[in-house]
Amino acid sequence: MTRILIVEDEERICSFLQKGLRSNGYAASVARLGQEALTLCSTTNFDLILLDIGLPDVNGFEVLRRLRAQKRRAAVIMLTARDAVGDRVAGLEGGADDYLTKPFSFDELLARIRLRLRPDRSEEPTIIKVGEAVLDLRTRTLSVGGKTVELSAREFALAELFFRHPRQVLSREQVLSNVWGYDYDPGSNVVDVYVGYLRKKLGKERIKAMRGMGYRLEMG
Ligand code: CA
């Protein structure tokens, strides 16, 4: 079983990540402090570490530095609250494999994790076709009828969820938890708003509203 270590001091994010990872078949451990993470890593070989930068004791950069100094080879994805370019550069130079800016959706995190864990990345299907629409997961672009369509990060995450589950009815709750993650208000109409944006770009008939149930991506 793949072992993932979550290093994060925020309770809400921790339990969200741990629950999600476990339901996707990963063994997920948690460390709330940098020192605790280092101790755990000295006894357990984790396959991947989700490493928050802002920790109460030793910060994420320092944890990463010490892990790499000990030749720990686990893939490391840094979690940063700030969209600071400096953090990304420092993280990647320090030996991180990837980074994610909070708030992120669980789907996006899962995609990054799978990418990092897969030994031969060339085998991953990166293109999903639905009718004349083509979603490229590697370049994160959508084209419809051969023309590139601009999508925001959130629209792309929403498109990816639908394209990965064609012909399947997705409820608002499923879409919220997959695309907006822990960072959403359950009462908001944000799903309908974003499905509206996506319909404009994909063609209105492509995503069908199922009364009282949710939405479905049509194949034909
Ligand atoms: Ca933190």
Side-chain angles (χ1 to χ4, degrees), residues 108-127:
E108 190 181 0
L109 176 70
L110 213 52
R112 304 282 186 101
I113 288 175
R114 287 183 177 139
L115 197 66
R116 290 302 151 197
L117 290 175
R118 202 177 296 268
D120 180 2
R121 287 171 203 163
S122 64
E123 280 175 22
E124 175 163 30
T126 58
I127 290 184

Side-chain angles (χ1 to χ4, degrees), residues 154-170:
R154 197 72 91 183
E155 288 167 353
F156 187 88
L158 183 62
E160 184 177 346
L161 180 66
F162 277 113
F163 275 64
R164 283 189 187 275
H165 305 93
R167 286 207 193 101
Q168 198 177 314
V169 180
L170 300 173

Side-chain angles (χ1 to χ4, degrees), residues 6-41:
I6 303 159
V7 189
E8 166 67 72
D9 57 312
E10 254 180 83
E11 178 60 41
R12 196 169 59 105
I13 300 179
C14 255
S15 62
F16 165 76
L17 292 176
Q18 195 171 30
K19 236 170 68 187
L21 290 173
R22 284 183 174 164
S23 72
N24 278 278
Y26 296 108
S29 309
V30 166
R32 297 231 156 65
L33 296 170
Q35 197 52 60
E36 194 187 344
L38 290 164
T39 307
L40 277 172
C41 286

Side-chain angles (χ1 to χ4, degrees), residues 50-66:
L50 299 175
L51 182 54
D52 184 30
I53 293 176
L55 295 167
D57 59 340
V58 190
N59 78 30
F61 294 129
E62 182 57 22
V63 173
L64 176 63
R65 198 189 63 74
R66 293 193 205 169

